[in-house]
Amino acid sequence: MAKYLRRSFRRKKEVRFMGSAEHEDGDSPTPRYRPDGIDALCKATGFSRKELQLMYRSFKQECPTGTVNEATFRRIYTHFFPYGDVSPYAHCVFRAFDIRHNGVINFEDLVLGVSSLSRGSVPDKLRWVFTLYDADGDGVISRGELRDVVMAVHRLSPHGNLLSSKTIPDMMPSPSTTNSAAAMAERRNHEMFAERHADRIFQKLDINCDGQVTWDEFLETCTKDETIANTMANMDVAL
């Protein structure tokens, strides 16, 4: 979704959105959600008025009603990962964007998150990633929560190797793997490797070894450990 929005910077046609003052060719009379307060949104996100207008048009092309539910969000992700299993990761990302926990994302929700990831400070970016991992919103990341996100990224690839050869140097799928039994075994090997990879990350993040990762631990480790920081960057590969 964020990739789709960023592509809109190359579009020339604009749309103005200020409550009922929105003008767009082909608008239907169906009531739609329309963001307002563009100046406040510019200030909050760091995007210019022009950028927000272009992003809004791109957003509405996929989401004509002005909001997106998880099913639509998942469908958009399939454009970028047509051969992988996008459902787990799309669910994680959707949950992070759904700041009101009402099952839908509007334009402001989306651009605030994109702004944090693309233009925020290092702590801003890490705070968003922390939210991505903290599935239950209790302010800490459990081993299971971290493993779930790592595995979700892993499944974006049909062979489970999206973590790339930098993190899985000797586990790339073999061209000779042709039968289903061998393919399933190889995929399970990839999954087991990803699970171990997630456990190693957790051990580094859990500084006091109490079985959970606080925000302070997450921030400290990610800002001091280059390997962990690079791994965290891979977690938003789809963004």
Side-chain angles (χ1 to χ4, degrees):
M1 173 66 80
K3 267 185 184 177
Y4 194 86
L5 284 173
R6 286 200 290 263
R7 288 176 183 172
S8 70
F9 291 147
R10 297 193 293 270
R11 302 173 186 262
K12 295 182 179 179
K13 194 173 181 181
E14 298 182 19
V15 57
R16 284 178 283 180
F17 59 98
M18 289 289 287
S20 61
E22 178 186 2
H23 300 286
E24 182 176 5
D25 295 339
D27 268 351
S28 72
T30 304
R32 299 177 177 185
Y33 169 83
R34 290 181 173 86
D36 52 22
I38 187 172
D39 291 331
L41 200 55
C42 287
K43 184 176 180 179
T45 62
F47 292 122
S48 69
R49 178 182 289 263
K50 173 81 169 181
E51 288 171 331
L52 287 173
Q53 289 169 338
L54 292 173
M55 284 193 288
Y56 185 51
R57 169 165 291 280
S58 181
F59 179 75
K60 285 197 66 180
Q61 286 179 343
E62 287 287 350
C63 315
T65 63
T67 60
V68 56
N69 59 25
E70 186 171 341
T72 302
F73 194 82
R74 183 170 58 248
R75 176 179 59 79
I76 293 170
Y77 258 84
T78 62
H79 298 331
F80 305 114
F81 301 95
Y83 303 111
D85 179 8
V86 303
S87 296
Y89 190 72
H91 173 72
C92 294
V93 177
F94 183 88
R95 185 189 63 238
F97 278 122
D98 182 17
I99 56 179
R100 286 182 302 278
H101 310 293
N102 61 355
V104 295
I105 299 170
N106 63 34
F107 180 70
E108 286 100 327
D109 297 336
L110 194 62
V111 294
L112 285 169
V114 172
S115 172
S116 294
L117 288 168
S118 63
R119 300 195 172 183
S121 64
V122 170
D124 288 339
K125 294 175 181 178
L126 290 175
R127 172 61 80 175
W128 196 93
V129 175
F130 184 88
T131 301
L132 181 71
Y133 289 124
D134 182 14
D136 60 9
D138 65 352
V140 296
I141 300 171
S142 68
R143 184 183 296 270
E145 287 173 330
L146 189 140
R147 182 181 289 182
D148 286 345
V149 176
V150 172
M151 293 300 298
V153 173
H154 174 80
R155 292 185 179 120
L156 290 173
S157 164
H159 298 293
N161 64 345
L162 194 62
L163 292 177
S164 84
S165 58
K166 292 181 179 179
T167 54
I168 310 180
D170 56 346
M171 298 292 290
M172 301 299 286
S174 169
S176 62
T177 301
T178 56
N179 64 74
S180 59
M184 290 178 63
E186 186 169 2
R187 178 164 185 169
R188 181 53 189 158
N189 284 339
H190 283 291
E191 290 177 348
M192 291 175 63
F193 188 93
E195 290 173 359
R196 292 194 297 269
H197 182 63
D199 288 340
R200 287 195 297 270
I201 295 172
F202 188 84
Q203 289 174 2
K204 288 190 175 183
L205 291 171
D206 184 15
I207 296 174
N208 64 359
C209 301
D210 65 348
Q212 60 186 15
V213 179
T214 65
W215 161 243
D216 289 337
E217 288 176 316
F218 187 82
L219 179 63
E220 179 178 346
T221 305
C222 290
T223 52
K224 290 183 178 180
D225 189 312
E226 184 177 354
T227 300
I228 293 293
N230 290 337
T231 300
M232 295 300 104
N234 282 337
M235 294 303 102
D236 69 351
V237 64
L239 291 171

